[in-house]
Amino acid sequence: TKLERLELKQNNLMKLPSDIFRGLRSLIQLSLSENELRELPEGLLHGLIKLYYLEVHHNKICYVLKGFFAGLKNFKLLDIRNNAFTQSE
């Protein structure tokens, strides 16, 4: 698919399957802001080789797994403000 931008803001999302974005190789910008997400599951960004910008502000995320952003060579911008961080694993 040629999808480059995906906005899933304000959808009351609480949880995402780790493979939900698999196959979206052209995705450059992803917005999951203003939801009820508590975690970013391992493998969520796997295969998003062109991802440049991830927006997850205003959720309830408590931690980000070590290595979560590994393999994202084009990744530059992260907006993760206004979450419930307690630790980094």
Side-chain angles (χ1 to χ4, degrees), residues 1-7 24-31 48 50-53:
T1 180
K2 297 281 186 183
L3 184 67
E4 293 183 350
R5 182 176 175 183
L6 180 59
E7 290 200 25
L24 298 180
R25 295 185 154 281
S26 297
L27 199 64
I28 295 170
Q29 181 176 341
L30 175 60
S31 177
L48 302 183
K50 293 185 178 180
L51 190 69
Y52 180 86
Y53 179 45

Side-chain angles (χ1 to χ4, degrees), residues 3-4 6 11 14-15 28-29 33 42 49 56 67 69 74 79 82 85 88:
L3 184 67
E4 293 183 350
L6 180 59
N11 282 292
M14 298 176 81
K15 192 171 184 178
I28 295 170
Q29 181 176 341
S33 295
E42 185 175 359
I49 57 174
V56 290
F69 300 101
N74 292 315
D79 187 348
N82 293 346
F85 285 108
S88 179

Side-chain angles (χ1 to χ4, degrees), residues 44-86:
L44 182 69
L45 305 179
H46 181 76
L48 302 183
I49 57 174
K50 293 185 178 180
L51 190 69
Y52 180 86
Y53 179 45
L54 175 64
E55 197 176 55
V56 290
H57 62 80
H58 291 91
N59 276 288
K60 297 179 179 180
I61 299 167
C62 297
Y63 63 92
V64 175
L65 294 170
K66 184 177 181 179
F68 181 76
F69 300 101
L72 299 177
K73 295 179 180 182
N74 292 315
F75 191 72
K76 300 286 184 213
L77 298 171
L78 172 65
D79 187 348
I80 201 163
R81 63 193 151 96
N82 293 346
N83 276 283
F85 285 108
T86 57

Side-chain angles (χ1 to χ4, degrees), residues 6-39:
L6 180 59
E7 290 200 25
L8 298 172
K9 291 181 183 180
Q10 300 175 332
N11 282 292
N12 294 317
L13 300 173
M14 298 176 81
K15 192 171 184 178
L16 295 170
S18 62
D19 63 349
I20 193 166
F21 303 118
R22 197 149 291 153
L24 298 180
R25 295 185 154 281
S26 297
L27 199 64
I28 295 170
Q29 181 176 341
L30 175 60
S31 177
L32 300 169
S33 295
E34 300 174 49
N35 282 294
E36 301 293 321
L37 296 172
R38 295 186 179 277
E39 67 177 359

